[in-house]
Amino acid sequence: MAADKKNWIVIASGDRPLNEISVELSGKGFKVGQVLEAIGQITGESSAEVSKDELQVAGVAEIVPMGDHIQLPGPEEDLSW
């Protein structure tokens, strides 16, 4: 992996199929690794500059660097979008 590239986790909003999101992300320069349908996430590699553009893709809720801490909601929290 080049120094300016990072591994990312794309968290989908749930209002668009992941395969459509992954195709659009690829078109923006995101190298898709895995499409994780069961948890609504896509992993892959991209530069920091490209990741800002990827936030503009319909159906993307958030993009976080892989390895960063992600806080899952507790069982009592509302999971509706």
Side-chain angles (χ1 to χ4, degrees):
M1 183 168 67
D4 64 337
K5 299 282 185 176
K6 291 179 95 174
N7 290 313
W8 300 93
I9 299 172
V10 178
I11 302 170
S13 62
D15 54 340
R16 188 170 175 210
L18 282 182
N19 62 337
E20 288 180 13
I21 295 170
S22 68
V23 168
E24 192 169 343
L25 290 171
S26 292
K28 290 183 174 280
F30 186 84
K31 183 178 175 185
V32 174
Q34 292 183 303
V35 178
L36 307 167
E37 290 283 344
I39 58 173
Q41 297 180 357
I42 299 169
T43 65
E45 179 184 86
S46 172
S47 67
E49 294 77 32
V50 174
S51 68
K52 293 175 189 174
D53 290 338
E54 292 151 359
L55 284 170
Q56 304 306 312
V57 171
V60 172
E62 187 176 2
I63 299 177
V64 295
M66 197 174 286
D68 278 10
H69 177 73
I70 298 173
Q71 179 64 48
L72 298 175
E76 70 284 348
E77 292 184 44
D78 180 16
L79 299 178
S80 62
W81 297 95

PDB file of all heavy atoms in Angstrom, residues 1-2 5-10 21-35 42-47 50-51 54 66:
ATOM      1  N   MET A   1       0.845  -1.179   0.000  1.00  0.00           N
ATOM      2  CA  MET A   1       0.000   0.000   0.000  1.00  0.00           C
ATOM      3  C   MET A   1       0.888   1.239   0.000  1.00  0.00           C
ATOM      4  O   MET A   1       1.806   1.351   0.780  1.00  0.00           O
ATOM      5  CB  MET A   1      -0.910  -0.024   1.236  1.00  0.00           C
ATOM      6  CG  MET A   1      -1.872   1.119   1.273  1.00  0.00           C
ATOM      7  SD  MET A   1      -3.169   0.928   2.511  1.00  0.00           S
ATOM      8  CE  MET A   1      -2.255   1.018   4.018  1.00  0.00           C
ATOM      9  N   ALA A   2       0.588   2.189  -0.871  1.00  0.00           N
ATOM     10  CA  ALA A   2       1.359   3.420  -0.951  1.00  0.00           C
ATOM     11  C   ALA A   2       1.147   4.249   0.308  1.00  0.00           C
ATOM     12  O   ALA A   2       0.149   4.118   1.007  1.00  0.00           O
ATOM     13  CB  ALA A   2       0.941   4.214  -2.190  1.00  0.00           C
ATOM     14  N   LYS A   5      -2.123   6.135   0.746  1.00  0.00           N
ATOM     15  CA  LYS A   5      -3.353   5.337   0.739  1.00  0.00           C
ATOM     16  C   LYS A   5      -3.660   4.836   2.144  1.00  0.00           C
ATOM     17  O   LYS A   5      -2.767   4.584   2.931  1.00  0.00           O
ATOM     18  CB  LYS A   5      -3.204   4.130  -0.196  1.00  0.00           C
ATOM     19  CG  LYS A   5      -2.945   4.494  -1.636  1.00  0.00           C
ATOM     20  CD  LYS A   5      -4.203   4.922  -2.305  1.00  0.00           C
ATOM     21  CE  LYS A   5      -3.925   5.168  -3.789  1.00  0.00           C
ATOM     22  NZ  LYS A   5      -5.133   5.499  -4.496  1.00  0.00           N
ATOM     23  N   LYS A   6      -4.952   4.727   2.440  1.00  0.00           N
ATOM     24  CA  LYS A   6      -5.397   4.206   3.728  1.00  0.00           C
ATOM     25  C   LYS A   6      -6.492   3.180   3.491  1.00  0.00           C
ATOM     26  O   LYS A   6      -7.183   3.221   2.479  1.00  0.00           O
ATOM     27  CB  LYS A   6      -5.975   5.337   4.594  1.00  0.00           C
ATOM     28  CG  LYS A   6      -4.963   6.346   5.081  1.00  0.00           C
ATOM     29  CD  LYS A   6      -5.653   7.413   5.898  1.00  0.00           C
ATOM     30  CE  LYS A   6      -5.571   7.060   7.360  1.00  0.00           C
ATOM     31  NZ  LYS A   6      -6.100   8.118   8.236  1.00  0.00           N
ATOM     32  N   ASN A   7      -6.665   2.302   4.444  1.00  0.00           N
ATOM     33  CA  ASN A   7      -7.784   1.365   4.430  1.00  0.00           C
ATOM     34  C   ASN A   7      -8.963   2.010   5.147  1.00  0.00           C
ATOM     35  O   ASN A   7      -8.792   2.604   6.213  1.00  0.00           O
ATOM     36  CB  ASN A   7      -7.395   0.048   5.094  1.00  0.00           C
ATOM     37  CG  ASN A   7      -6.408  -0.727   4.270  1.00  0.00           C
ATOM     38  OD1 ASN A   7      -6.593  -0.883   3.068  1.00  0.00           O
ATOM     39  ND2 ASN A   7      -5.358  -1.222   4.877  1.00  0.00           N
ATOM     40  N   TRP A   8     -10.142   1.865   4.549  1.00  0.00           N
ATOM     41  CA  TRP A   8     -11.351   2.520   5.053  1.00  0.00           C
ATOM     42  C   TRP A   8     -12.483   1.534   5.220  1.00  0.00           C
ATOM     43  O   TRP A   8     -12.530   0.501   4.557  1.00  0.00           O
ATOM     44  CB  TRP A   8     -11.804   3.603   4.073  1.00  0.00           C
ATOM     45  CG  TRP A   8     -10.798   4.678   3.827  1.00  0.00           C
ATOM     46  CD1 TRP A   8      -9.864   4.707   2.829  1.00  0.00           C
ATOM     47  CD2 TRP A   8     -10.608   5.861   4.583  1.00  0.00           C
ATOM     48  NE1 TRP A   8      -9.113   5.850   2.929  1.00  0.00           N
ATOM     49  CE2 TRP A   8      -9.544   6.581   3.987  1.00  0.00           C
ATOM     50  CE3 TRP A   8     -11.221   6.394   5.706  1.00  0.00           C
ATOM     51  CZ2 TRP A   8      -9.097   7.801   4.480  1.00  0.00           C
ATOM     52  CZ3 TRP A   8     -10.781   7.621   6.191  1.00  0.00           C
ATOM     53  CH2 TRP A   8      -9.730   8.304   5.581  1.00  0.00           C
ATOM     54  N   ILE A   9     -13.417   1.893   6.080  1.00  0.00           N
ATOM     55  CA  ILE A   9     -14.689   1.188   6.211  1.00  0.00           C
ATOM     56  C   ILE A   9     -15.776   2.179   5.820  1.00  0.00           C
ATOM     57  O   ILE A   9     -15.872   3.266   6.398  1.00  0.00           O
ATOM     58  CB  ILE A   9     -14.928   0.687   7.648  1.00  0.00           C
ATOM     59  CG1 ILE A   9     -13.828  -0.289   8.055  1.00  0.00           C
ATOM     60  CG2 ILE A   9     -16.310   0.028   7.758  1.00  0.00           C
ATOM     61  CD1 ILE A   9     -13.879  -0.670   9.523  1.00  0.00           C
ATOM     62  N   VAL A  10     -16.553   1.809   4.817  1.00  0.00           N
ATOM     63  CA  VAL A  10     -17.677   2.622   4.365  1.00  0.00           C
ATOM     64  C   VAL A  10     -18.920   2.059   5.031  1.00  0.00           C
ATOM     65  O   VAL A  10     -19.238   0.880   4.881  1.00  0.00           O
ATOM     66  CB  VAL A  10     -17.822   2.569   2.833  1.00  0.00           C
ATOM     67  CG1 VAL A  10     -19.029   3.370   2.373  1.00  0.00           C
ATOM     68  CG2 VAL A  10     -16.547   3.072   2.158  1.00  0.00           C
ATOM     69  N   ILE A  21     -23.630   1.045  -4.452  1.00  0.00           N
ATOM     70  CA  ILE A  21     -22.700   1.957  -3.781  1.00  0.00           C
ATOM     71  C   ILE A  21     -21.264   1.581  -4.139  1.00  0.00           C
ATOM     72  O   ILE A  21     -20.458   2.460  -4.463  1.00  0.00           O
ATOM     73  CB  ILE A  21     -22.907   1.922  -2.248  1.00  0.00           C
ATOM     74  CG1 ILE A  21     -24.292   2.453  -1.886  1.00  0.00           C
ATOM     75  CG2 ILE A  21     -21.815   2.724  -1.534  1.00  0.00           C
ATOM     76  CD1 ILE A  21     -24.676   2.238  -0.436  1.00  0.00           C
ATOM     77  N   SER A  22     -20.948   0.288  -4.122  1.00  0.00           N
ATOM     78  CA  SER A  22     -19.574  -0.140  -4.405  1.00  0.00           C
ATOM     79  C   SER A  22     -19.162   0.210  -5.831  1.00  0.00           C
ATOM     80  O   SER A  22     -18.022   0.612  -6.070  1.00  0.00           O
ATOM     81  CB  SER A  22     -19.386  -1.626  -4.120  1.00  0.00           C
ATOM     82  OG  SER A  22     -20.099  -2.425  -5.021  1.00  0.00           O
ATOM     83  N   VAL A  23     -20.080   0.105  -6.794  1.00  0.00           N
ATOM     84  CA  VAL A  23     -19.778   0.469  -8.180  1.00  0.00           C
ATOM     85  C   VAL A  23     -19.486   1.967  -8.275  1.00  0.00           C
ATOM     86  O   VAL A  23     -18.520   2.386  -8.922  1.00  0.00           O
ATOM     87  CB  VAL A  23     -20.943   0.074  -9.118  1.00  0.00           C
ATOM     88  CG1 VAL A  23     -20.779   0.696 -10.493  1.00  0.00           C
ATOM     89  CG2 VAL A  23     -21.045  -1.444  -9.232  1.00  0.00           C
ATOM     90  N   GLU A  24     -20.301   2.773  -7.618  1.00  0.00           N
ATOM     91  CA  GLU A  24     -20.084   4.222  -7.648  1.00  0.00           C
ATOM     92  C   GLU A  24     -18.783   4.603  -6.941  1.00  0.00           C
ATOM     93  O   GLU A  24     -18.044   5.477  -7.405  1.00  0.00           O
ATOM     94  CB  GLU A  24     -21.273   4.955  -7.033  1.00  0.00           C
ATOM     95  CG  GLU A  24     -21.218   6.440  -7.295  1.00  0.00           C
ATOM     96  CD  GLU A  24     -22.493   7.176  -6.948  1.00  0.00           C
ATOM     97  OE1 GLU A  24     -23.561   6.533  -6.805  1.00  0.00           O
ATOM     98  OE2 GLU A  24     -22.422   8.410  -6.817  1.00  0.00           O
ATOM     99  N   LEU A  25     -18.494   3.960  -5.814  1.00  0.00           N
ATOM    100  CA  LEU A  25     -17.241   4.225  -5.110  1.00  0.00           C
ATOM    101  C   LEU A  25     -16.036   3.885  -5.994  1.00  0.00           C
ATOM    102  O   LEU A  25     -15.064   4.644  -6.050  1.00  0.00           O
ATOM    103  CB  LEU A  25     -17.168   3.418  -3.813  1.00  0.00           C
ATOM    104  CG  LEU A  25     -18.112   3.835  -2.693  1.00  0.00           C
ATOM    105  CD1 LEU A  25     -18.074   2.802  -1.564  1.00  0.00           C
ATOM    106  CD2 LEU A  25     -17.777   5.205  -2.170  1.00  0.00           C
ATOM    107  N   SER A  26     -16.113   2.762  -6.687  1.00  0.00           N
ATOM    108  CA  SER A  26     -15.028   2.355  -7.588  1.00  0.00           C
ATOM    109  C   SER A  26     -14.792   3.407  -8.660  1.00  0.00           C
ATOM    110  O   SER A  26     -13.642   3.707  -9.009  1.00  0.00           O
ATOM    111  CB  SER A  26     -15.353   1.015  -8.250  1.00  0.00           C
ATOM    112  OG  SER A  26     -15.338  -0.015  -7.308  1.00  0.00           O
ATOM    113  N   GLY A  27     -15.867   3.982  -9.174  1.00  0.00           N
ATOM    114  CA  GLY A  27     -15.764   5.021 -10.189  1.00  0.00           C
ATOM    115  C   GLY A  27     -15.102   6.292  -9.677  1.00  0.00           C
ATOM    116  O   GLY A  27     -14.594   7.100 -10.460  1.00  0.00           O
ATOM    117  N   LYS A  28     -15.090   6.485  -8.356  1.00  0.00           N
ATOM    118  CA  LYS A  28     -14.465   7.660  -7.756  1.00  0.00           C
ATOM    119  C   LYS A  28     -13.032   7.379  -7.301  1.00  0.00           C
ATOM    120  O   LYS A  28     -12.416   8.201  -6.646  1.00  0.00           O
ATOM    121  CB  LYS A  28     -15.294   8.159  -6.577  1.00  0.00           C
ATOM    122  CG  LYS A  28     -16.609   8.780  -6.992  1.00  0.00           C
ATOM    123  CD  LYS A  28     -17.333   9.321  -5.782  1.00  0.00           C
ATOM    124  CE  LYS A  28     -18.570  10.079  -6.181  1.00  0.00           C
ATOM    125  NZ  LYS A  28     -18.276  11.434  -6.618  1.00  0.00           N
ATOM    126  N   GLY A  29     -12.517   6.170  -7.608  1.00  0.00           N
ATOM    127  CA  GLY A  29     -11.142   5.853  -7.259  1.00  0.00           C
ATOM    128  C   GLY A  29     -10.968   5.024  -6.005  1.00  0.00           C
ATOM    129  O   GLY A  29      -9.855   4.756  -5.586  1.00  0.00           O
ATOM    130  N   PHE A  30     -12.070   4.591  -5.397  1.00  0.00           N
ATOM    131  CA  PHE A  30     -12.008   3.752  -4.207  1.00  0.00           C
ATOM    132  C   PHE A  30     -11.785   2.311  -4.651  1.00  0.00           C
ATOM    133  O   PHE A  30     -12.518   1.788  -5.497  1.00  0.00           O
ATOM    134  CB  PHE A  30     -13.328   3.863  -3.433  1.00  0.00           C
ATOM    135  CG  PHE A  30     -13.354   3.169  -2.106  1.00  0.00           C
ATOM    136  CD1 PHE A  30     -12.858   3.800  -0.980  1.00  0.00           C
ATOM    137  CD2 PHE A  30     -13.905   1.909  -1.963  1.00  0.00           C
ATOM    138  CE1 PHE A  30     -12.893   3.182   0.265  1.00  0.00           C
ATOM    139  CE2 PHE A  30     -13.952   1.285  -0.729  1.00  0.00           C
ATOM    140  CZ  PHE A  30     -13.441   1.926   0.388  1.00  0.00           C
ATOM    141  N   LYS A  31     -10.761   1.660  -4.120  1.00  0.00           N
ATOM    142  CA  LYS A  31     -10.485   0.264  -4.451  1.00  0.00           C
ATOM    143  C   LYS A  31     -11.247  -0.618  -3.465  1.00  0.00           C
ATOM    144  O   LYS A  31     -10.848  -0.770  -2.311  1.00  0.00           O
ATOM    145  CB  LYS A  31      -8.981  -0.010  -4.368  1.00  0.00           C
ATOM    146  CG  LYS A  31      -8.614  -1.411  -4.777  1.00  0.00           C
ATOM    147  CD  LYS A  31      -7.114  -1.608  -4.717  1.00  0.00           C
ATOM    148  CE  LYS A  31      -6.770  -3.056  -5.009  1.00  0.00           C
ATOM    149  NZ  LYS A  31      -5.343  -3.305  -4.835  1.00  0.00           N
ATOM    150  N   VAL A  32     -12.370  -1.165  -3.913  1.00  0.00           N
ATOM    151  CA  VAL A  32     -13.240  -1.963  -3.052  1.00  0.00           C
ATOM    152  C   VAL A  32     -12.547  -3.261  -2.669  1.00  0.00           C
ATOM    153  O   VAL A  32     -12.000  -3.968  -3.519  1.00  0.00           O
ATOM    154  CB  VAL A  32     -14.588  -2.253  -3.742  1.00  0.00           C
ATOM    155  CG1 VAL A  32     -15.431  -3.211  -2.917  1.00  0.00           C
ATOM    156  CG2 VAL A  32     -15.351  -0.953  -3.993  1.00  0.00           C
ATOM    157  N   GLY A  33     -12.561  -3.559  -1.371  1.00  0.00           N
ATOM    158  CA  GLY A  33     -12.011  -4.812  -0.863  1.00  0.00           C
ATOM    159  C   GLY A  33     -13.101  -5.848  -0.695  1.00  0.00           C
ATOM    160  O   GLY A  33     -13.162  -6.820  -1.427  1.00  0.00           O
ATOM    161  N   GLN A  34     -13.996  -5.614   0.276  1.00  0.00           N
ATOM    162  CA  GLN A  34     -15.094  -6.541   0.557  1.00  0.00           C
ATOM    163  C   GLN A  34     -16.399  -5.768   0.664  1.00  0.00           C
ATOM    164  O   GLN A  34     -16.431  -4.651   1.187  1.00  0.00           O
ATOM    165  CB  GLN A  34     -14.865  -7.278   1.863  1.00  0.00           C
ATOM    166  CG  GLN A  34     -13.715  -8.247   1.840  1.00  0.00           C
ATOM    167  CD  GLN A  34     -13.612  -8.992   3.160  1.00  0.00           C
ATOM    168  OE1 GLN A  34     -13.485  -8.382   4.211  1.00  0.00           O
ATOM    169  NE2 GLN A  34     -13.670 -10.311   3.097  1.00  0.00           N
ATOM    170  N   VAL A  35     -17.474  -6.391   0.192  1.00  0.00           N
ATOM    171  CA  VAL A  35     -18.829  -5.876   0.373  1.00  0.00           C
ATOM    172  C   VAL A  35     -19.481  -6.774   1.407  1.00  0.00           C
ATOM    173  O   VAL A  35     -19.692  -7.964   1.171  1.00  0.00           O
ATOM    174  CB  VAL A  35     -19.618  -5.875  -0.957  1.00  0.00           C
ATOM    175  CG1 VAL A  35     -21.034  -5.396  -0.733  1.00  0.00           C
ATOM    176  CG2 VAL A  35     -18.907  -5.009  -2.004  1.00  0.00           C
ATOM    177  N   ILE A  42     -18.712  -1.629   3.500  1.00  0.00           N
ATOM    178  CA  ILE A  42     -17.795  -1.929   2.409  1.00  0.00           C
ATOM    179  C   ILE A  42     -16.401  -1.560   2.896  1.00  0.00           C
ATOM    180  O   ILE A  42     -16.207  -0.482   3.469  1.00  0.00           O
ATOM    181  CB  ILE A  42     -18.141  -1.103   1.154  1.00  0.00           C
ATOM    182  CG1 ILE A  42     -19.556  -1.428   0.663  1.00  0.00           C
ATOM    183  CG2 ILE A  42     -17.106  -1.336   0.042  1.00  0.00           C
ATOM    184  CD1 ILE A  42     -20.073  -0.483  -0.392  1.00  0.00           C
ATOM    185  N   THR A  43     -15.440  -2.441   2.681  1.00  0.00           N
ATOM    186  CA  THR A  43     -14.064  -2.125   3.032  1.00  0.00           C
ATOM    187  C   THR A  43     -13.303  -1.824   1.748  1.00  0.00           C
ATOM    188  O   THR A  43     -13.687  -2.263   0.666  1.00  0.00           O
ATOM    189  CB  THR A  43     -13.371  -3.280   3.770  1.00  0.00           C
ATOM    190  OG1 THR A  43     -13.251  -4.394   2.884  1.00  0.00           O
ATOM    191  CG2 THR A  43     -14.123  -3.665   5.027  1.00  0.00           C
ATOM    192  N   GLY A  44     -12.217  -1.068   1.891  1.00  0.00           N
ATOM    193  CA  GLY A  44     -11.405  -0.788   0.722  1.00  0.00           C
ATOM    194  C   GLY A  44     -10.291   0.179   1.014  1.00  0.00           C
ATOM    195  O   GLY A  44     -10.027   0.525   2.170  1.00  0.00           O
ATOM    196  N   GLU A  45      -9.635   0.623  -0.065  1.00  0.00           N
ATOM    197  CA  GLU A  45      -8.459   1.470   0.034  1.00  0.00           C
ATOM    198  C   GLU A  45      -8.654   2.730  -0.801  1.00  0.00           C
ATOM    199  O   GLU A  45      -9.208   2.682  -1.897  1.00  0.00           O
ATOM    200  CB  GLU A  45      -7.248   0.687  -0.476  1.00  0.00           C
ATOM    201  CG  GLU A  45      -5.956   1.457  -0.446  1.00  0.00           C
ATOM    202  CD  GLU A  45      -4.833   0.650  -1.066  1.00  0.00           C
ATOM    203  OE1 GLU A  45      -4.685   0.701  -2.294  1.00  0.00           O
ATOM    204  OE2 GLU A  45      -4.134  -0.029  -0.301  1.00  0.00           O
ATOM    205  N   SER A  46      -8.183   3.842  -0.251  1.00  0.00           N
ATOM    206  CA  SER A  46      -8.312   5.116  -0.942  1.00  0.00           C
ATOM    207  C   SER A  46      -7.406   6.146  -0.288  1.00  0.00           C
ATOM    208  O   SER A  46      -6.975   5.973   0.851  1.00  0.00           O
ATOM    209  CB  SER A  46      -9.766   5.584  -0.862  1.00  0.00           C
ATOM    210  OG  SER A  46      -9.917   6.881  -1.341  1.00  0.00           O
ATOM    211  N   SER A  47      -7.160   7.218  -0.993  1.00  0.00           N
ATOM    212  CA  SER A  47      -6.436   8.348  -0.395  1.00  0.00           C
ATOM    213  C   SER A  47      -7.400   9.163   0.461  1.00  0.00           C
ATOM    214  O   SER A  47      -8.620   9.031   0.338  1.00  0.00           O
ATOM    215  CB  SER A  47      -5.842   9.232  -1.484  1.00  0.00           C
ATOM    216  OG  SER A  47      -6.872   9.868  -2.205  1.00  0.00           O
ATOM    217  N   VAL A  50      -9.719  11.329  -1.774  1.00  0.00           N
ATOM    218  CA  VAL A  50     -10.816  10.610  -2.406  1.00  0.00           C
ATOM    219  C   VAL A  50     -11.903  10.302  -1.385  1.00  0.00           C
ATOM    220  O   VAL A  50     -13.082  10.375  -1.687  1.00  0.00           O
ATOM    221  CB  VAL A  50     -10.310   9.318  -3.097  1.00  0.00           C
ATOM    222  CG1 VAL A  50     -11.456   8.496  -3.632  1.00  0.00           C
ATOM    223  CG2 VAL A  50      -9.359   9.678  -4.233  1.00  0.00           C
ATOM    224  N   SER A  51     -11.527  10.018  -0.157  1.00  0.00           N
ATOM    225  CA  SER A  51     -12.546   9.659   0.840  1.00  0.00           C
ATOM    226  C   SER A  51     -13.528  10.801   1.071  1.00  0.00           C
ATOM    227  O   SER A  51     -14.695  10.565   1.351  1.00  0.00           O
ATOM    228  CB  SER A  51     -11.903   9.237   2.153  1.00  0.00           C
ATOM    229  OG  SER A  51     -11.274  10.315   2.789  1.00  0.00           O
ATOM    230  N   GLU A  54     -16.087  10.453  -1.584  1.00  0.00           N
ATOM    231  CA  GLU A  54     -16.924   9.283  -1.368  1.00  0.00           C
ATOM    232  C   GLU A  54     -18.054   9.556  -0.382  1.00  0.00           C
ATOM    233  O   GLU A  54     -19.097   8.915  -0.434  1.00  0.00           O
ATOM    234  CB  GLU A  54     -16.063   8.105  -0.909  1.00  0.00           C
ATOM    235  CG  GLU A  54     -15.155   7.630  -2.023  1.00  0.00           C
ATOM    236  CD  GLU A  54     -13.863   7.011  -1.552  1.00  0.00           C
ATOM    237  OE1 GLU A  54     -13.607   6.948  -0.340  1.00  0.00           O
ATOM    238  OE2 GLU A  54     -13.093   6.603  -2.423  1.00  0.00           O
ATOM    239  N   MET A  66      -9.937   2.334   8.750  1.00  0.00           N
ATOM    240  CA  MET A  66      -9.914   0.994   9.338  1.00  0.00           C
ATOM    241  C   MET A  66      -8.947   0.994  10.516  1.00  0.00           C
ATOM    242  O   MET A  66      -7.869   1.580  10.440  1.00  0.00           O
ATOM    243  CB  MET A  66      -9.482  -0.032   8.301  1.00  0.00           C
ATOM    244  CG  MET A  66      -9.811  -1.451   8.692  1.00  0.00           C
ATOM    245  SD  MET A  66      -9.455  -2.627   7.371  1.00  0.00           S
ATOM    246  CE  MET A  66     -10.796  -2.300   6.249  1.00  0.00           C
TER     247      MET A  66
END
